[in-house]
């Protein structure tokens, strides 16, 4: 009983912190969802674009840039990284996963070059969270309000875009690129633009994370892909993926639930090194679940079919 009470007390205390963090990381989950779901383009660039955005934002803040300009630079570099992955795949016929691995690997050296060191502190610099009115800067509530407003605005903008002619063209390329090209859609432009947008979202998440935690690190993206996939699976299980707005909502809903589950595990005493193992096992289970259900359904149907014969 004491263990349960202690766990719940610790979990409740962590909710504001993890909620702010999950809203920030929802953008990198969106950066994972767009290639996988919208474009049928399995991609690993997000694991390199996330720290890229953080490193660029950190250096910009340390150099005297204002928070919005630093985020703008991070967005631009993330977009370029995503475009490079798509171009390598389209131009050289390299598999999407391998193209993403190549870009992700090269970005590690790029991040070191940008910062000139493995990590950089930006404590004391102004951030967008300091601009939230009526809330004391640095508190989780300021981060929740700021990122919540940004999330709502971007969600509405994306929902509008993907229902327009150009957005529908991007989704058509993901559904059937051959048919899309036959309909006069520029497959190259849609693919490069879509993967670039995903890279920009991952970099945007990294930039917000650096402004939230006060430092940038070249290893800050380690394991973010598997965490993002786990969050996406949870989000799709909760809200579904049958419509555009559900697909766009799933990354943010899944991120909030996933990181609350992580905080619950930590509050219950799970060692932090075991979180990666638990996350990987969860993603494996979610991916295997449809196959297990189908196999079970066929096995249940076999006796009835035999009886009819």
């Amino acid at each position: 009983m004491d263990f349960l009470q202690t766990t719940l007390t610790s979990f409740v205390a962590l909710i504001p912190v993890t909620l702010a963090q999950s809203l920030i990381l929802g953008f990198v989950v969106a950066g994972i969802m767009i290639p996988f779901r919208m474009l049928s383009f399995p991609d690993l660039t997000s694991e390199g674009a996330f720290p890229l955005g953080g490193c660029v934002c950190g250096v910009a803040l340390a150099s005297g840039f204002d928070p919005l300009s630093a985020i703008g630079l991070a967005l631009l570099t993330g977009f370029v990284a995503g475009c490079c992955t798509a171009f390598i795949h389209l131009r050289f016929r390299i598999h999407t996963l391998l193209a993403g691995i190549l870009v992700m690997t090269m970005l590690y050296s790029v991040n070191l070059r940008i910062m000139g060191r493995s990590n950089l502190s930006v404590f004391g610099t102004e951030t967008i969270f300091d601009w939230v009115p009526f809330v004391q800067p640095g508190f989780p509530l300021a981060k929740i309000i700021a990122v919540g407003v940004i999330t709502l605005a971007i969600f509405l903008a994306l929902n509008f875009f993907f229902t327009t002619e150009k957005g529908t063209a991007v989704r058509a390329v993901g559904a059937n690129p051959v048919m899309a090209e036959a309909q006069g859609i520029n497959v190259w432009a849609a693919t490069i633009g879509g993967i670039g947008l995903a890279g920009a979202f991952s970099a945007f998440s990294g930039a917000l994370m650096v402004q939230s935690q006060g430092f940038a690190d070249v290893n800050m993206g380690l394991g973010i892909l598997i965490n993002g996939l786990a969050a996406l699976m949870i989000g799709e299980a909760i809200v579904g993926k049958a419509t555009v707005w559900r697909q766009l909502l799933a990354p943010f809903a899944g991120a909030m639930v996933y990181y609350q589950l992580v905080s619950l595990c930590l509050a219950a005493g799970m060692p932090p090194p075991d979180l990666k193992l638990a996350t990987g096992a969860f993603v494996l289970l979610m991916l295997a679940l449809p196959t297990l259900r189908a196999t079970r359904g066929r096995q249940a149907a076999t006796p009835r079919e035999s009886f009819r014969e």
Side-chain angles (χ1 to χ4, degrees):
M1 190 67 180
D2 291 338
F3 171 75
L4 180 60
Q5 185 176 0
T6 303
T7 299
L8 290 176
T9 302
S10 302
F11 173 65
V12 171
L14 286 172
I15 286 178
V17 178
T18 52
L19 182 58
Q21 185 182 40
S22 62
L23 286 171
I24 293 173
L25 293 173
F27 291 102
V28 76
V29 182
I32 294 171
M33 181 276 296
I34 291 173
F36 274 81
R37 298 303 189 203
M38 297 286 188
L39 287 165
S40 299
F41 191 110
D43 183 31
L44 303 179
T45 309
S46 57
E47 191 146 339
F50 178 77
L52 173 65
C55 293
V56 170
C57 181
V59 171
L61 290 175
S63 301
F65 282 73
D66 64 90
L68 281 182
S69 298
I71 291 176
L73 288 173
L75 279 168
L76 179 61
T77 55
F79 181 80
V80 172
C83 290
C84 288
T85 300
F87 179 79
I88 290 172
H89 165 68
L90 294 170
R91 177 64 181 83
F92 303 110
R93 303 295 182 184
I94 296 175
H95 193 276
T96 59
L97 291 175
L98 181 55
I101 291 172
L102 291 172
V103 173
M104 177 183 67
T105 303
M106 291 186 288
L107 284 178
Y108 184 84
S109 297
V110 171
N111 293 336
L112 283 173
R113 284 288 185 179
I114 290 172
M115 291 201 303
R117 65 194 79 174
S118 60
N119 54 69
L120 174 67
S121 175
V122 291
F123 280 110
T125 59
E126 186 182 28
T127 69
I128 62 170
F129 307 117
D130 298 330
W131 298 348
V132 179
F134 312 115
V135 180
Q136 187 171 354
F139 277 61
L141 181 59
K143 299 175 183 179
I144 293 171
I145 293 173
V147 183
V149 171
I150 294 172
T151 300
L152 179 61
I154 290 180
F155 172 79
L156 294 175
L158 283 177
N159 187 57
F160 172 76
F161 170 74
F162 280 112
T163 54
T164 62
E165 183 177 353
K166 290 187 180 297
T168 303
V170 172
R171 293 190 289 121
V173 170
N176 192 329
V178 177
M179 180 61 70
E181 188 173 13
Q183 296 296 321
I185 298 173
N186 190 329
V187 175
W188 275 55
T191 303
I192 292 176
I195 303 302
L197 179 65
F201 276 130
S202 297
F204 179 61
S205 180
L208 289 178
M209 184 59 69
V210 166
Q211 295 196 19
S212 173
Q213 66 189 10
F215 68 92
D217 192 284
V218 292
N219 294 313
M220 62 187 290
L222 186 63
I224 196 68
L225 182 67
I226 190 68
N227 293 342
L229 283 173
L232 181 61
M233 296 295 175
I234 294 175
E236 290 180 346
I238 295 173
V239 303
K241 54 182 179 178
T243 60
V244 172
W245 74 268
R246 289 177 184 272
Q247 284 184 322
L248 296 174
L249 182 61
F252 300 100
M256 286 189 287
V257 174
Y258 171 73
Y259 285 100
Q260 294 303 321
L261 291 175
V262 169
S263 68
L264 180 61
C265 292
L266 292 175
M270 176 181 285
D274 293 345
L275 288 176
K276 299 295 183 184
L277 177 62
T279 301
F282 175 78
V283 173
L284 178 61
L285 176 63
M286 295 298 291
L287 292 173
L289 197 57
T291 302
L292 295 175
R293 287 177 176 173
T295 303
R296 186 177 179 181
R298 287 195 298 268
Q299 291 176 348
T302 301
R304 289 195 295 268
E305 292 175 358
S306 301
F307 178 76
R308 290 173 183 174
E309 292 176 359

